[in-house]
Amino acid sequence: MNEQSTDLRETVRRRYAEAAVKVTDGGTACCGPEPVEVDENLGSALYAAEERDTLPAEALAASLGCGNPTAVAELREGERVLDLGSGGGIDVLLSARRVGPTGKAYGLDMTEEMLELALANAAKAGATNVEFLKGTIEAVPLPANTIDVVISNCVINLSVDKPAVFAETFRVLKPGGRIGVSDIVADDTLTAEQRAERGDYVGCIAGALSFAEFRAGLESAGFTDIEITPTHSVADGMHSAIVRATKPTAVTGPTATAPAAEADSCCGVTACCTPAEQATDPSVTVGEAKSTAGCGCQN
């Protein structure tokens, strides 16, 4: 990662850390937390009243998204869902309700302050089928082929390495898995410079892909059945959009993974003894997983 990308990521992290602290501090006030954003195009106003009524006030106040991905992801009972850039946990908590006790909702965020807020919100909501992970959306700390649905709410545009996000999303999805994402997308006629004129990077504008760029990125990662549907304008030539795509049930070429029996041959490790090996339990290292399982390949 170059210096500019590193600086951008730190700017984004700091912005959302400050948002989490504002909500947390506001939650101790007599009148409760104030929303971080007051904008009809962003935040909890984009959720139905019956959804908002089921959530902690802090989860609503920390909502910074441009849509409601849980409303379009068609979540089903028993599915495993991953929310990229989960923030205060609003979409994780809503997903957990939709997949029920036999399913699970993961939230991934790089900001410690947001993770603390999300854990507190999950406790207040009484959600037991949720798990929050610290990490970046360019390097998801979950094994390959383990997630049914990936959602995200106005976060991919903030990434400094979007091809890595698409590749990681494809990797963790099971064959036949799908994405249901809300994000900011630019008209194809707008240059990167023109997007930056309409808003800054942390404001979800300057880093947005165009419709064609978003589609090409998903296609390069291996996705099919791609749909990008604008929902409302957030700036001149910039739109909140719903993005859907599917991981094919039969994957060929460089993105293909080994058959399950071969991939799991080391018990507790996928893609054993390859550069892509990972522990199936994200809470332990590859070495610990191999040692526990008695795997003969300890390197």
Side-chain angles (χ1 to χ4, degrees):
M1 188 184 301
N2 61 37
E3 184 175 349
Q4 182 182 15
S5 295
T6 300
D7 289 346
L8 273 176
R9 176 178 283 179
E10 175 56 22
T11 299
V12 171
R13 189 206 64 77
R14 190 166 54 247
R15 161 75 175 91
Y16 287 90
E18 291 169 353
V21 170
K22 177 180 178 181
V23 170
T24 300
D25 290 347
T28 63
C30 64
C31 301
E34 288 293 323
V36 175
E37 296 284 352
V38 182
D39 187 326
E40 63 182 7
N41 294 317
L42 299 170
S44 62
L46 298 173
Y47 294 82
E50 57 267 25
E51 291 178 314
R52 298 197 301 268
D53 290 344
T54 66
L55 297 170
E58 289 80 4
L60 297 173
S63 176
L64 297 160
C66 58
N68 179 358
T70 62
V72 301
E74 300 176 358
L75 303 181
R76 306 177 188 118
E77 189 87 14
E79 288 188 318
R80 293 162 66 90
V81 184
L82 169 64
D83 181 19
L84 301 178
S86 49
I90 184 171
D91 292 318
V92 173
L93 296 179
L94 289 173
S95 295
R97 290 177 180 274
R98 288 174 182 254
V99 300
T102 60
K104 187 165 184 178
Y106 293 93
L108 174 64
D109 206 283
M110 68 176 180
T111 307
E112 192 70 41
E113 293 84 351
M114 276 294 186
L115 288 168
E116 292 176 3
L117 177 60
L119 286 169
N121 287 332
K124 290 176 182 177
T128 58
N129 59 336
V130 305
E131 183 176 344
F132 290 96
L133 308 169
K134 185 175 182 180
T136 68
I137 63 176
E138 297 88 1
V140 179
L142 286 172
N145 306 317
T146 54
I147 298 297
D148 296 295
V149 188
V150 171
I151 64 173
S152 184
N153 197 347
C154 205
V155 171
I156 294 175
N157 65 77
L158 295 171
S159 172
V160 296
D161 188 353
K162 296 174 179 66
V165 176
F166 295 140
E168 280 291 88
T169 300
F170 190 89
R171 180 186 66 81
V172 300
L173 280 171
K174 298 176 182 178
R178 60 199 188 278
I179 66 172
V181 168
S182 293
D183 216 308
I184 303 297
V185 184
D187 285 344
D188 292 333
T189 56
L190 292 183
T191 65
E193 291 74 20
Q194 289 171 324
R195 297 170 215 174
E197 291 171 356
R198 286 156 171 77
D200 59 14
Y201 203 93
V202 297
C204 302
I205 300 297
L209 296 173
S210 71
F211 285 91
E213 290 166 345
F214 213 123
R215 178 177 292 275
L218 290 171
E219 288 176 342
S220 294
F223 284 100
T224 58
D225 303 322
I226 300 167
E227 300 176 2
I228 306 176
T229 308
T231 57
H232 58 273
S233 174
V234 297
D236 182 24
M238 310 287 294
H239 314 270
S240 176
I242 294 167
V243 182
R244 295 184 178 94
T246 303
K247 179 175 179 175
T249 54
V251 182
T252 60
T255 56
T257 56
E262 179 184 344
D264 293 335
S265 59
C266 267
C267 300
V269 177
T270 60
C272 185
C273 301
T274 73
E277 68 178 358
Q278 292 191 34
T280 55
D281 181 353
S283 67
V284 301
T285 66
V286 167
E288 290 170 339
K290 289 182 178 181
S291 178
T292 300
C295 177
C297 176
Q298 296 293 325
N299 297 322

